[in-house]
């Protein structure tokens, strides 16, 4: 039994924002049909250059397209359009990430679709929202980091913007879209009616900064988390660690106790976190030599034992191979028909009775057309 058994989804999405929403629904049992534009389909299929050279399915595509079936439809072709509407007759959720206005030009906007299929949940993801001066501008995660202020939020506060090499807005907005879809499905149980669900990269990446925005909006100052306590990094014998003085009135004393140092908070008259923040450069200079005598695991264990927040600074490859990652079941293996399997990250949400499952690997382009056509008792070509 799956949490979303009998829920049918049509996904008309490319790249990451929309596809990850479809994948989450598929992970928990929804029947997700990925509609791709002929002849090449989702451009994410071809973004992994190493996979391209080997003639294999791209790892990027595999990462966000498991538990789906693929069919190519040209919605300007009358026969394919009829098939699309046949699919809609049994669909619970229509999911797309076209730019605002694109679906309307095809006669497939919310007003047209909901009039014919009133129970349908019409979910759309965009870059900037459906109205306003940026509505028709192309969106991409790094552009959203640029516009939203994230590019200036480095811990060092430098003079040049720095971007995260992680598509944070894509991932988060896709999951927020799932939240909206599930809420709409719950509401439909009461009213029998569908509704429109939407979110955007800009709204998502702005919402992620809710604490920082609150101080800017109300008191006109910038929250910089690394400056709010005795926070620093230090080098050990085999790598680096992060040390945070959050939630402690006298973090320097605890750090000194952990590292076998004299209590510098008394020795240098720095009795509380505020005075220690002001003297942070000096404090770090006193503490770092002791860290260089320890391994990262020794230093973290010592600091944590005294109630100081500390963790190793790891590269992604080390994190993926870490025993904690294995204990969490983070990495899953996906079958790929006719090719080597792909290792990707599984769903981080755990349900005790109806967990996320790998039921299908990522589909080859148009690989399920015949099956889908037979299922919906219509033509195949």
């Amino acid at each position: 039994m799956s949490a979303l058994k009998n829920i049918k989804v049509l996904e008309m999405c490319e790249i990451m924002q929309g596809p990850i929403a479809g994948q989450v629904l598929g992970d928990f049992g929804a029947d997700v049909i990925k509609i791709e534009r002929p002849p090449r389909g989702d451009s994410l299929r071809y973004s992994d250059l190493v996979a391209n050279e080997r003639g294999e399915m791209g790892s990027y595509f595999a990462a966000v397209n498991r538990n789906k079936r693929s069919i190519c439809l040209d919605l300007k072709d009358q026969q394919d359009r009829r098939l699309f509407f046949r699919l809609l007759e049994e669909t619970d959720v229509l999911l797309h990430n076209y730019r605002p206005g694109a679906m309307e030009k095809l006669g497939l906007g919310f007003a047209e679709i909901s009039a014919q299929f009133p129970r349908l949940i019409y979910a759309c993801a965009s870059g900037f929202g459906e109205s306003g001066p940026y509505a028709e501008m192309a969106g991409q995660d790094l552009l959203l980091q640029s516009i939203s202020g994230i590019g200036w939020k480095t811990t060092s506060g430098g003079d040049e913007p720095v971007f995260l090499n992680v598509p944070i807005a894509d991932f988060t907005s896709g999951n927020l879209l799932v939240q909206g879809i599930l809420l709409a499905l719950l509401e439909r149980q009461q009213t029998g009616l569908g509704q429109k669900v939407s979110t955007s990269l800009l709204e998502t990446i702005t919402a992620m900064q809710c604490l920082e925005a609150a101080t800017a909006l109300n008191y006109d100052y910038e929250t910089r988390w690394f400056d709010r306590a005795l926070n620093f990094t230090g080098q050990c014998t085999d790598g680096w660690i992060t040390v945070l003085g959050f939630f402690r009135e006298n973090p320097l004393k605890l750090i000194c106790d952990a590292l076998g140092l004299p209590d510098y908070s008394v020795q240098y008259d720095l009795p509380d976190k505020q005075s220690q923040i002001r003297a942070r450069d000096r404090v770090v200079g006193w503490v770092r030599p002791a860290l260089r005598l320890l391994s990262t695991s020794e230093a973290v264990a010592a600091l944590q034992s005294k109630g100081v927040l500390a963790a190793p600074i790891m590269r992604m490859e080390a994190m993926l191979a870490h025993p904690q990652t294995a204990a969490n079941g983070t990495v899953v293996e996906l079958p790929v028909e006719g090719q080597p399997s792909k290792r990707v990250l599984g769903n981080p949400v755990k349900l005790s009775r109806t967990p996320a499952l790998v039921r299908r690997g990522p589909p080859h382009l148009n690989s399920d057309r015949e099956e889908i056509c037979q299922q919906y008792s219509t033509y195949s070509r």
Side-chain angles (χ1 to χ4, degrees):
M1 183 67 175
S2 298
L4 297 178
K5 183 182 180 182
N6 299 325
I7 296 297
K8 297 185 183 298
V9 179
L10 291 187
E11 180 205 294
M12 305 170 65
C13 301
E14 294 193 31
I15 312 299
M16 183 176 181
Q17 178 192 31
I20 200 163
Q23 176 169 277
V24 171
L25 297 171
D27 283 351
F28 289 100
D31 178 12
V32 181
I33 296 176
K34 184 178 182 71
I35 296 176
E36 302 189 64
R37 290 184 288 186
R40 288 177 58 83
D42 188 340
S43 58
L44 197 63
R45 288 183 177 276
Y46 313 103
S47 298
D48 184 341
L49 301 181
V50 174
N52 291 347
E53 291 176 358
R54 298 179 180 180
E56 296 181 3
M57 176 173 286
S59 55
Y60 303 146
F61 182 84
V64 293
N65 284 287
R66 64 176 172 264
N67 290 328
K68 302 176 186 180
R69 295 183 286 169
S70 170
I71 184 172
C72 283
L73 292 180
D74 178 358
L75 295 178
K76 295 179 181 179
D77 176 90
Q78 289 305 309
Q79 288 184 308
D80 278 6
R81 193 177 176 90
R82 283 198 297 270
L83 173 54
F84 175 73
F85 275 90
R86 173 69 185 93
L87 296 174
L88 281 178
E89 291 175 7
E90 300 184 35
T91 293
D92 297 286
V93 180
L94 174 62
L95 173 63
H96 79 80
N97 66 345
Y98 290 127
R99 289 192 204 181
M103 289 287 278
E104 285 74 11
K105 290 177 182 178
L106 291 170
L108 303 175
F110 173 66
E112 296 90 342
I113 295 297
S114 63
Q116 190 168 348
F117 304 100
R119 287 179 52 81
L120 183 75
I121 309 301
Y122 189 99
C124 45
S126 65
F128 298 95
E130 297 184 89
S131 62
Y134 282 177
E136 295 185 12
M137 191 164 81
Q140 197 277 340
D141 201 280
L142 294 174
L143 296 183
L144 272 299
Q145 291 188 43
S146 302
I147 290 169
S148 66
I150 292 288
W152 289 116
K153 289 192 176 297
T154 62
T155 55
S156 62
D159 295 329
E160 292 187 12
V162 177
F163 303 110
L164 292 173
N165 193 37
V166 176
I168 52 174
D170 276 308
F171 180 86
T172 307
S173 62
N175 278 278
L176 287 178
L177 192 62
V178 171
Q179 175 180 293
I181 290 168
L182 297 179
L183 289 169
L185 287 170
L186 284 172
E187 194 276 342
R188 191 180 70 174
Q189 292 179 356
Q190 303 172 52
T191 65
L193 296 174
Q195 59 182 300
K196 187 176 184 178
V197 177
S198 63
T199 192
S200 69
L201 296 174
L202 181 58
E203 291 168 286
T204 295
I205 203 167
T206 303
M208 292 170 69
Q209 303 174 77
C210 60
L211 299 185
E212 297 88 342
T215 59
L217 290 168
N218 293 291
Y219 304 113
D220 194 27
Y221 78 89
E222 181 182 16
T223 295
R224 303 193 67 85
W225 296 109
F226 224 68
D227 297 337
R228 292 180 65 86
L230 181 58
N231 303 326
F232 60 94
T233 61
Q235 190 171 14
C236 299
T237 59
D238 59 347
W240 288 76
I241 67 168
T242 300
V243 182
L244 302 178
F246 288 130
F247 316 124
R248 298 292 180 264
E249 285 303 312
N250 187 349
L252 180 54
K253 179 184 186 307
L254 300 175
I255 292 169
C256 291
D257 289 346
L259 300 179
L261 297 171
D263 185 353
Y264 291 143
S265 70
V266 173
Q267 185 173 333
Y268 295 101
D269 192 25
L270 300 170
D272 54 41
K273 60 182 179 182
Q274 294 303 325
S275 61
Q276 292 165 21
I277 292 171
R278 291 191 293 269
R280 183 169 61 183
D281 289 345
R282 286 189 294 145
V283 170
V284 172
W286 302 331
V287 170
R288 276 181 168 169
L291 291 176
R292 293 193 187 99
L293 302 176
L294 302 173
S295 68
T296 55
S297 60
E298 291 170 337
V300 168
L303 290 162
Q304 288 272 2
S305 72
K306 298 298 181 180
V308 178
L309 297 174
I313 300 176
M314 299 166 62
R315 295 190 181 275
M316 184 183 66
E317 293 79 5
M319 178 273 294
L320 291 174
H322 197 276
Q324 186 61 54
T325 301
N328 291 341
T330 299
V331 177
V332 298
E333 191 163 316
L334 306 179
V336 179
E337 185 177 354
Q339 295 184 11
S341 61
K342 292 286 184 286
R343 298 176 71 221
V344 299
L345 300 186
N347 198 300
V349 176
K350 314 294 186 185
L351 298 186
S352 62
R353 287 192 299 103
T354 56
L357 298 173
V358 175
R359 295 175 291 108
R360 289 175 174 265
H364 293 297
L365 182 64
N366 205 34
S367 59
D368 303 292
R369 185 183 186 94
E370 183 175 351
E371 178 186 73
I372 292 168
C373 289
Q374 289 177 353
Q375 178 184 352
Y376 289 86
S377 302
T378 186
Y379 76 97
S380 175
R381 67 169 187 172

